Amino acid sequence: EMHTLAEAGIIAIWHQHIKERDMRLEERAISAEKYMRDWLSRLKEVQNITHDPLEFYDAIKKELSSGDIHVYTPQGQVIDLPKGATPLDFAYAIHTEVGNHCAAATVNDEPYPIFAPLKMAQTVQIITDENAYPSAAWLQFVTTAKARAGINHYLRHLATRQAVNNERLEEIAEKTKTIEANHTKLLDAHYADAIPATSSSPANGASRPTCRS
């Protein structure tokens, strides 16, 4: 009887072990699936921003080769970022417009440089300013594909807009020159018509009429 109870106890412990193992495997599977979905979502966001195949390939390579850290928003939302990511990467992970207007950051309620690497489990808050915009220097510090794509997209858009503005300024300058030239011609013609022809004076030695009383 004691032998039977011992066997039953071992079997119960074994079943409990198997159950716990299966639960851990299921949790890992769910976690792995969530990670894959998050990863695919990040790549899709990058693809929506950039149309450069080389830039997209570089994004995939970096996303696969980098390990993750987990940081938090002030509301407690978990944001997965690669090791070495900065508050600027965090800002772009929240939204492209948040990244484009990132002016400062606080980490654990303390001021924190936007280019300094983040650490595991920190709470990050981004301070935005409508007058803050990306610069090419930002590319030296960001690590995530989404941040690089967002910055490059803005810089390309800015260059295109400046080129269009320069072209418009050239057109305006050319039209102004044409208007000024036409105006000058009209003035010259007006003054030419307004000046009367001068009469000739009597020649030297010519007789003058005499007055008679």
Side-chain angles (χ1 to χ4, degrees):
E1 186 176 348
M2 291 181 62
H3 180 71
T4 303
L5 289 173
E7 284 187 349
I10 292 172
I11 292 172
I13 292 172
W14 173 253
H15 281 303
Q16 183 64 28
H17 169 72
I18 294 297
K19 183 179 179 181
E20 290 177 356
R21 187 195 65 176
D22 289 345
M23 288 178 63
R24 288 195 298 269
L25 289 174
E26 185 178 358
E27 289 174 357
R28 289 176 184 174
I30 293 173
S31 178
E33 184 178 357
K34 181 180 182 300
Y35 178 84
M36 182 184 68
R37 288 180 178 177
D38 291 344
W39 179 71
L40 291 174
S41 177
R42 292 198 297 269
L43 289 183
K44 186 176 181 181
E45 289 175 347
V46 174
Q47 190 177 29
N48 290 337
I49 296 172
T50 180
H51 300 288
D52 185 348
L54 291 178
E55 188 174 17
F56 185 62
Y57 170 77
D58 185 59
I60 296 175
K61 185 170 65 175
K62 287 184 177 179
E63 289 284 348
L64 286 174
S65 63
S66 60
D68 276 354
I69 61 171
H70 311 295
V71 293
Y72 300 93
T73 68
Q75 293 75 32
Q77 179 185 356
V78 179
I79 303 295
D80 294 328
L81 294 171
K83 290 180 180 178
T86 66
L88 196 53
D89 292 295
F90 177 91
Y92 276 99
I94 298 299
H95 196 278
T96 301
E97 285 303 305
V98 176
N100 284 345
H101 297 287
C102 176
T106 62
V107 172
N108 297 339
D109 295 325
E110 296 289 336
Y112 199 86
I114 63 173
F115 300 129
L118 294 168
K119 298 178 182 178
M120 182 72 78
Q122 289 178 319
T123 298
V124 186
Q125 182 173 11
I126 299 300
I127 301 168
T128 59
D129 187 334
E130 62 180 8
N131 295 317
Y133 297 101
S135 71
W138 288 14
L139 293 170
Q140 301 176 29
F141 304 99
V142 295
T143 61
T144 61
K146 186 178 179 183
R148 295 186 66 84
I151 295 167
N152 281 323
H153 177 76
Y154 177 84
L155 294 177
R156 284 194 294 267
H157 175 73
L158 181 63
T160 301
R161 189 170 60 186
Q162 288 177 340
V164 171
N165 288 339
N166 289 338
E167 185 177 346
R168 288 176 178 173
L169 288 174
E170 290 176 0
E171 290 178 358
I172 292 172
E174 191 64 31
K175 289 180 180 178
T176 301
K177 287 182 181 179
T178 303
I179 292 171
E180 289 178 347
N182 292 336
H183 186 62
T184 301
K185 289 179 182 178
L186 290 173
L187 287 176
D188 289 344
H190 174 74
Y191 286 128
D193 292 339
I195 298 174
T198 55
S199 57
S200 58
S201 57
N204 292 334
S207 60
R208 299 173 179 271
T210 58
C211 295
R212 296 182 180 178
S213 56

